[in-house]
Amino acid sequence: MAPKNRTTPAAASPAAAAPQHATSSAASQPTKPSSVPSSSSTTSSSGTKSARSAQNAQEILLGVWENYLEQTAMRVKLIDIFMGFLVIVGVFQFVYCILAGNYPFNAFLAGFSATVGQFVLTASLRIQTNPENQSEFKTISPERAFADYVFGSILLHFFCVNFIN
């Protein structure tokens, strides 16, 4: 714990002990210090700011979603749906492991590794077959990318099945 800084009133500087009154330059009469705004006005202004930022965030997300629906190829959307399914399966496996236990730990590791590995392979397929990335993958046709995906998936599942015992 950090030591507490305790100052006695006698040790404080005389300027800090004396009441401060602001003086205006036009008239050298003391003026009252400005009042602190009430909590209701602060809350309403911060509530308005957070409502605006939430609305802006919602508009941004809606714009991104509409852009995705309009400009993304159907093949890429199908791959995205499969990737979402893999995320859901991975979450279910992890939650099941936490709630029900992980007695055959090899089975959990094999299943979860298969899900994560399949997600990575699918992400690779998505990148290679996306029409926007054709300039990056000039030498790889979509058919070749899919053949690599199938080969990688078979190899991944072979290792996962062998890991279970």
Side-chain angles (χ1 to χ4, degrees), residues 106-107 109-111 114 154-165:
N106 285 356
L109 282 181
I154 290 171
L155 195 63
L156 169 73
H157 287 85
F158 175 75
F159 282 117
C160 290
V161 168
N162 283 326
F163 188 73
I164 292 175
N165 280 341

Side-chain angles (χ1 to χ4, degrees), residues 13-85:
S13 66
Q20 297 283 330
H21 293 289
T23 58
S24 64
S25 59
S28 60
Q29 298 178 357
T31 59
K32 293 184 180 180
S34 63
S35 63
V36 177
S38 67
S39 62
S40 64
S41 66
T42 305
T43 305
S44 66
S45 67
S46 66
T48 306
K49 288 179 185 177
S50 65
R52 285 184 198 152
S53 65
Q55 186 177 10
N56 288 341
Q58 187 178 14
E59 289 174 3
I60 290 170
L61 289 176
L62 185 62
V64 168
W65 178 250
E66 288 174 356
N67 188 21
Y68 173 79
L69 291 177
E70 291 173 5
Q71 295 184 359
T72 305
M74 183 56 79
R75 181 182 297 174
V76 177
K77 288 179 188 175
L78 289 173
I79 292 173
D80 290 342
I81 290 170
F82 183 61
M83 290 175 71
F85 169 74

Side-chain angles (χ1 to χ4, degrees), residues 81-137:
I81 290 170
F82 183 61
M83 290 175 71
F85 169 74
L86 290 171
V87 167
I88 291 170
V89 168
V91 168
F92 280 154
Q93 286 177 343
F94 189 74
V95 168
Y96 180 81
C97 178
I98 290 173
L99 296 178
N102 58 359
Y103 165 63
F105 193 62
N106 285 356
F108 166 70
L109 282 181
F112 195 73
S113 298
T115 303
V116 172
Q118 194 67 41
F119 182 86
V120 170
L121 289 170
T122 307
S124 175
L125 177 68
R126 183 191 193 279
I127 291 170
Q128 291 178 0
T129 59
N130 192 349
E132 295 176 7
N133 296 337
Q134 283 181 345
S135 63
E136 302 269 335
F137 301 101

